[in-house]
Amino acid sequence: MNAKIAASILSADFARLGEQVNDAVAAGADWIHVDVMDGHFVPNLTIGPPVLKSLRATTDLPLDVHLMIEQPERLIPEFARAGADRITVHVETCPHMHRTIQQIKELGVKPGVTLNPGTPLDTLQEILPEVDLVLIMSVNPGFGGQSYIPASTDKIARLRKMLDEGGLTGVELEVDGGIKSHNAAEIVTAGASVLVIGSAIFNRKASVATNVAALRAEIASLAY
């Protein structure tokens, strides 16, 4: 099994965001992951559609937009127009999830659904056939640089089983939070197909290229 790397700009240097995205592209990242926070659903504020539009002009890589906001249906059209390739919304913020997923599809964007560490997988059961991506949060959302919650590995494995048994093998299983070179292989072995990685890529300890290479090497070390 191989896995895509989605470089999360939440941990990038925002003073030189375009440069950091270009570094991630050059290093071989597969997607650019964009965390959008509203200060209500999560205790932090990040970026909006204008920044996403600027990023769209700098790269052809898929822009993977994670909306950690209340009432996401209000802003989904703006993020779609700004260039999002994927838009992921939370179970916890969408009482009418089917309607929200259809809204994303109608805008020509691939829909995703996500849930917090304390939210059970059975909340996804009815919507799984409608989405292109499921995101497992392996930290509580709101801030970068947190430690991976160990119980997430079992949750990933259970979701992989749900997808496989449902014939939904084409749905991406994305994991976000606390992923480093030392645990990337464990997460992929459990069933992840996309790893969202921020602080392990964008840090001052080594170059973006070196960090991405270390992550690739760890994933490649898996015995198939």
Side-chain angles (χ1 to χ4, degrees):
M1 180 186 294
N2 201 352
K4 301 178 182 71
I5 291 178
S8 173
I9 64 167
L10 183 62
S11 298
D13 181 351
F14 273 52
R16 48 192 194 93
L17 186 54
E19 179 186 339
Q20 294 259 273
V21 168
N22 287 335
D23 288 345
V25 172
D30 300 290
W31 297 356
I32 301 299
H33 186 82
V34 182
D35 287 311
V36 179
M37 306 181 189
D38 63 0
H40 295 281
F41 177 57
V42 292
N44 199 1
L45 284 167
T46 55
I47 66 174
V51 174
L52 186 71
K53 185 176 181 180
S54 295
L55 290 177
R56 178 76 288 166
T58 68
T59 180
D60 292 327
L61 285 189
L63 295 179
D64 179 35
V65 178
H66 176 194
L67 297 183
M68 289 175 269
I69 63 176
E70 295 179 354
Q71 297 179 297
E73 62 278 358
R74 296 172 301 138
L75 292 175
I76 284 169
E78 290 190 47
F79 281 102
R81 286 193 293 268
D85 293 286
R86 288 173 175 80
I87 294 177
T88 298
V89 293
H90 272 258
V91 166
E92 299 87 358
T93 67
C94 294
H96 306 291
M97 179 62 79
H98 186 274
R99 181 185 300 161
T100 303
I101 293 301
Q102 295 308 310
Q103 178 190 21
I104 296 170
K105 287 182 178 182
E106 289 167 4
L107 291 165
V109 178
K110 294 180 178 180
V113 63
T114 185
L115 68 180
N116 287 339
T119 303
L121 286 177
D122 60 13
T123 58
L124 299 174
Q125 194 72 49
E126 303 302 326
I127 203 64
L128 284 180
E130 303 295 330
V131 300
D132 287 84
L133 177 150
V134 181
L135 171 58
I136 293 290
M137 290 303 300
S138 47
V139 298
N140 289 293
F143 298 95
Q146 298 183 65
S147 296
Y148 180 80
I149 297 173
S152 303
T153 303
D154 178 67
K155 195 173 189 180
I156 295 161
R158 286 185 286 119
L159 176 57
R160 170 50 60 198
K161 184 178 180 181
M162 286 173 63
L163 292 172
D164 291 348
E165 290 181 348
L168 301 170
T169 54
V171 175
E172 298 281 12
L173 198 171
E174 187 174 40
V175 181
D176 183 359
I179 302 175
K180 313 289 184 185
S181 58
H182 69 83
N183 61 11
E186 168 193 338
I187 295 164
V188 174
T189 300
S193 62
V194 183
L195 305 180
V196 177
I197 305 174
S199 59
I201 289 178
F202 299 110
N203 59 54
R204 296 170 184 255
K205 298 176 183 177
S207 69
V208 170
T210 297
N211 291 332
V212 171
L215 291 158
R216 292 280 189 207
E218 178 64 19
I219 296 168
S221 71
L222 290 168
Y224 299 114

